[in-house]
Amino acid sequence: MQTKYLITDPRTPNPDMLAEGGSILRRGGLVAFPTETVYGLGANALDGDAVAGIFAAKGRPGDNPLIVHVADKRTVKELAKDVPEQAITLMNAFWPGPLTIILPVGGKVPGQVTAGLETLALRMPNHPVALGLIKAAGVPVAAPSANTSGRPSPTTAEHVWFDLAGRIDLILDAGPAGFGLESTVLDLTVPTPQILRPGGITPEKLREVLGSVSVAFSEADMANTTTPPRSPGMKYTHYAPNAPLYLIEGEEQEVTAKIKDLALFYRGQGQRVGILTYSGGTDFTSFGEVLKAGHRDQPETIANALYAVLRRFDQLGVDVILAEGIEDRGIGLAVMNRLRKASAKIR
Ligand code: TXA
Ligand code: MG
């Protein structure tokens, strides 16, 4: 398959390009597009065969359901069986934006989208290209992140090209995505709303609106349990670069010492060592290939840079990556969630 690549302005998207993307989606094709989180790979959510194409292009396990993207809040009523008051409150507070809500699924949505579950993930993205594309398509758009399954999510159209060229119909390039990590996934089908995946909308912000919100136990724990995960995506290795990634967490001095120790150890074995750290921290230059993902005092800059840095380590061809942990509060919770999932200990 030939993949077409179109470049548009992020704020005032080219209407002809949106129309072209929309018509590809309507006739069952696959279109990659930017959102305010990461790039997504879209298909017509009402067309089961088109949705199956997403799984084939990404090599995604068939039991991992997709998020349906809408361009207005009203569409939610057509797709969900039931829209509780809490959902409306959340949509008013955070949509368009990086919050995905899980509701009971209605009859219109094909089983390929939900992987056969009784529930449906929904989100209204806050990006003019995403919204314009969904409107142009005239149908809701099922879209996972536009990466090969298991790889770090794409934050630029070049990342999408690298993973999926030849496998999809169109890439709409409107520059870097926004936040840099995927949306917060919140399950509203349980008595106390539960965060299944942390993201740009923090637990703190959700609690301001909802009162009590629980956070699903960490994926690091999940690896050692036999309980079926509530969010099927939680059980798979994710976001992982090619080289094994070791995440070092703890007090700063101990972390610094440990990274230096391990770097010397691996180098002694003839391995090329990558070190993932942050501006404003320790200088590890003489210990390996150092890449800095944002500034340690601004977790949002880390979220923004993380996936590109993980992909950069692949290009450098390092044999092992030593990554410095950050405090898992606020945006740091989403960053650490992704680093834990990418890390070798849970493979
Ligand atoms: O920011 C984002 O959410 C991006 C952009 C493109 O919108 N999309 C994204 O999709 O990250 P994906 O497929 O990479 O991640 C969707 C996550 C998976 O962990 C999946 O298991 C979970 O949402 N999910 C989807 N439907 C679900 C459901 N019905 N119940 C529980 N979890 C669900
Ligand atoms: Mg993904």
Side-chain angles (χ1 to χ4, degrees):
M1 185 190 294
Q2 280 266 12
T3 299
K4 195 162 177 178
Y5 193 104
L6 297 173
I7 303 171
T8 180
D9 183 82
R11 248 150 294 175
T12 49
N14 181 314
D16 294 336
M17 293 181 187
L18 294 180
E20 184 167 350
S23 86
I24 291 172
L25 289 172
R26 261 197 315 281
R27 59 163 203 267
L30 303 181
V31 178
F33 60 96
T35 80
E36 85 285 26
T37 59
V38 299
Y39 270 72
L41 176 62
N44 177 355
L46 304 178
D47 177 345
D49 291 336
V51 171
I54 289 179
F55 288 83
K58 282 180 57 98
R60 182 178 176 103
D63 64 349
N64 192 6
L66 305 178
I67 298 170
V68 173
H69 295 64
V70 298
D72 62 78
K73 296 170 196 163
R74 270 165 301 143
T75 312
V76 169
K77 289 208 181 67
E78 297 165 26
L79 301 173
K81 186 157 82 187
D82 171 45
V83 186
E85 200 54 42
Q86 268 179 339
I88 293 165
T89 307
L90 287 167
M91 291 190 267
N92 289 334
F94 299 112
W95 281 14
L99 177 69
T100 295
I101 56 177
I102 312 271
L103 297 175
V105 67
K108 242 173 124 172
V109 182
Q112 287 91 339
V113 172
T114 58
L117 295 180
E118 297 292 306
T119 56
L120 174 66
L122 288 150
R123 124 171 167 87
M124 179 175 173
N126 188 16
H127 193 296
V129 173
L131 292 171
L133 176 70
I134 300 165
K135 277 182 201 147
V139 290
V141 173
S145 47
N147 51 292
T148 299
S149 198
R151 301 248 307 134
S153 292
T155 53
T156 67
E158 288 80 12
H159 295 160
V160 179
W161 180 265
F162 188 83
D163 279 16
L164 298 176
R167 299 171 157 265
I168 64 178
D169 297 285
L170 173 65
I171 297 173
L172 286 175
D173 180 353
F179 179 60
L181 300 177
E182 305 84 344
S183 62
T184 303
V185 176
L186 183 71
D187 189 353
L188 289 181
T189 68
V190 286
T192 303
Q194 186 178 40
I195 296 175
L196 300 179
R197 179 177 72 183
I201 307 292
T202 59
E204 293 83 351
K205 278 199 216 157
L206 289 171
R207 285 188 186 116
E208 276 171 28
V209 173
L210 288 181
S212 81
V213 171
S214 74
V215 180
F217 49 101
S218 80
E219 285 77 5
D221 299 336
M222 302 273 333
N224 304 318
T225 163
T226 52
T227 323
R230 287 201 57 82
S231 182
M234 290 166 83
K235 71 176 185 237
Y236 296 108
T237 301
H238 264 151
Y239 324 117
N242 294 329
L245 181 147
Y246 296 97
L247 178 59
I248 325 292
E249 298 177 55
E251 291 300 321
E252 188 177 351
Q253 280 191 341
E254 289 161 19
V255 169
T256 300
K258 191 76 189 169
I259 289 177
K260 290 181 176 175
D261 254 19
L262 286 170
L264 293 174
F265 169 78
Y266 284 113
R267 281 172 74 170
Q269 300 204 323
Q271 305 215 31
R272 282 186 65 198
V273 177
I275 299 176
L276 193 169
T277 180
Y278 317 97
S279 302
T282 311
D283 181 8
F284 291 105
T285 319
S286 55
F287 290 84
E289 305 262 10
V290 176
L291 293 182
K292 292 177 180 165
H295 193 284
R296 58 189 235 143
D297 297 334
Q298 295 161 305
E300 63 285 357
T301 64
I302 299 176
N304 193 260
L306 183 66
Y307 287 146
V309 163
L310 291 180
R311 282 173 177 266
R312 184 83 191 116
F313 278 122
D314 284 348
Q315 288 180 332
L316 290 172
V318 296
D319 300 306
V320 59
I321 300 166
L322 307 174
E324 193 177 343
I326 66 167
E327 197 185 357
D328 61 355
R329 261 191 330 119
I331 298 300
L333 182 66
V335 170
M336 286 302 285
N337 168 267
R338 305 312 191 271
L339 279 174
R340 285 175 184 143
K341 293 204 78 172
S343 77
K345 67 180 176 201
I346 62 157
R347 276 194 188 181

mmCIF file of all heavy atoms in Angstrom, residues 58 60 145 147 153 182, ligand 2:
data_model
loop_
_atom_site.group_PDB
_atom_site.id
_atom_site.type_symbol
_atom_site.label_atom_id
_atom_site.label_comp_id
_atom_site.label_asym_id
_atom_site.label_seq_id
_atom_site.Cartn_x
_atom_site.Cartn_y
_atom_site.Cartn_z
ATOM 1 N N LYS A 58 -1.066 -2.333 13.004
ATOM 2 C CA LYS A 58 -0.225 -2.137 14.191
ATOM 3 C C LYS A 58 0.361 -3.433 14.732
ATOM 4 O O LYS A 58 1.258 -3.412 15.579
ATOM 5 C CB LYS A 58 -1.070 -1.532 15.330
ATOM 6 C CG LYS A 58 -1.343 -0.054 15.223
ATOM 7 C CD LYS A 58 -2.200 0.424 16.415
ATOM 8 C CE LYS A 58 -1.599 0.128 17.775
ATOM 9 N NZ LYS A 58 -0.869 1.219 18.408
ATOM 10 N N ARG A 60 -1.547 -5.290 16.592
ATOM 11 C CA ARG A 60 -2.101 -5.159 17.942
ATOM 12 C C ARG A 60 -2.881 -6.411 18.324
ATOM 13 O O ARG A 60 -3.666 -6.926 17.524
ATOM 14 C CB ARG A 60 -3.029 -3.948 17.976
ATOM 15 C CG ARG A 60 -3.683 -3.620 19.325
ATOM 16 C CD ARG A 60 -4.516 -2.367 19.144
ATOM 17 N NE ARG A 60 -5.290 -1.939 20.286
ATOM 18 C CZ ARG A 60 -4.948 -0.924 21.095
ATOM 19 N NH1 ARG A 60 -3.805 -0.276 20.897
ATOM 20 N NH2 ARG A 60 -5.731 -0.557 22.073
ATOM 21 N N SER A 145 -3.039 4.739 19.534
ATOM 22 C CA SER A 145 -1.828 5.466 19.161
ATOM 23 C C SER A 145 -1.281 4.861 17.862
ATOM 24 O O SER A 145 -1.391 3.659 17.641
ATOM 25 C CB SER A 145 -0.799 5.372 20.282
ATOM 26 O OG SER A 145 -0.680 4.029 20.731
ATOM 27 N N ASN A 147 1.406 3.782 16.486
ATOM 28 C CA ASN A 147 2.714 3.124 16.509
ATOM 29 C C ASN A 147 2.534 1.637 16.243
ATOM 30 O O ASN A 147 1.428 1.111 16.381
ATOM 31 C CB ASN A 147 3.361 3.302 17.893
ATOM 32 C CG ASN A 147 2.404 2.898 19.012
ATOM 33 O OD1 ASN A 147 1.395 3.559 19.244
ATOM 34 N ND2 ASN A 147 2.705 1.796 19.674
ATOM 35 N N SER A 153 4.698 5.348 21.797
ATOM 36 C CA SER A 153 3.699 6.034 20.985
ATOM 37 C C SER A 153 4.354 7.170 20.198
ATOM 38 O O SER A 153 5.350 7.737 20.628
ATOM 39 C CB SER A 153 2.594 6.604 21.877
ATOM 40 O OG SER A 153 1.865 5.555 22.445
ATOM 41 N N GLU A 182 -0.273 9.490 26.324
ATOM 42 C CA GLU A 182 -1.670 9.234 26.009
ATOM 43 C C GLU A 182 -2.604 9.752 27.112
ATOM 44 O O GLU A 182 -2.201 9.953 28.251
ATOM 45 C CB GLU A 182 -1.904 7.730 25.814
ATOM 46 C CG GLU A 182 -1.010 7.065 24.793
ATOM 47 C CD GLU A 182 0.324 6.665 25.383
ATOM 48 O OE1 GLU A 182 0.702 7.140 26.478
ATOM 49 O OE2 GLU A 182 1.004 5.851 24.728
HETATM 50 MG MG MG B 2 -1.129 2.708 22.415
#
